[in-house]
Amino acid sequence: MPMKSEDIVALIEEALPGAVVEMRDLAGDNDHWAAKVIAPQFVGKTRVAQHKLVYDALGGRMGGELHALQLTTQVPN
């Protein structure tokens, strides 16, 4: 069963307080998502480390309940 965008956002916001998450359904099937995450926890971290924080927030759901996620991360302005 695909994950709802609201569930993805809630997991990320819970793990990364202060994060701003924008979701986009890439295929119209609630199974292929693009997420833009802006979070203060990303400051001073490499892009790979930023992505790892997001994947960790999803708690192992990638590749299962969450089929595909195109991820963009950035630090707040």
Side-chain angles (χ1 to χ4, degrees):
M1 176 176 214
M3 273 188 88
K4 297 178 186 174
S5 65
E6 299 84 17
D7 296 337
I8 298 168
V9 171
L11 287 168
I12 295 170
E13 289 177 344
E14 181 180 328
L16 302 171
V20 175
V21 183
E22 299 173 15
M23 298 295 296
R24 188 166 42 101
D25 186 348
L26 295 174
D29 60 1
N30 288 319
D31 207 21
H32 296 81
W33 294 103
K36 179 179 179 183
V37 182
I38 304 168
Q41 293 84 352
F42 297 158
V43 173
K45 294 195 172 23
T46 65
R47 187 80 59 206
V48 170
Q50 293 173 10
H51 285 215
K52 183 174 181 339
L53 286 172
V54 175
Y55 290 128
D56 288 348
L58 298 172
R61 291 172 177 86
M62 279 303 306
E65 186 178 355
L66 179 53
H67 176 70
L69 180 67
Q70 176 185 322
L71 185 57
T72 304
T73 57
Q74 71 181 67
V75 299
N77 291 332

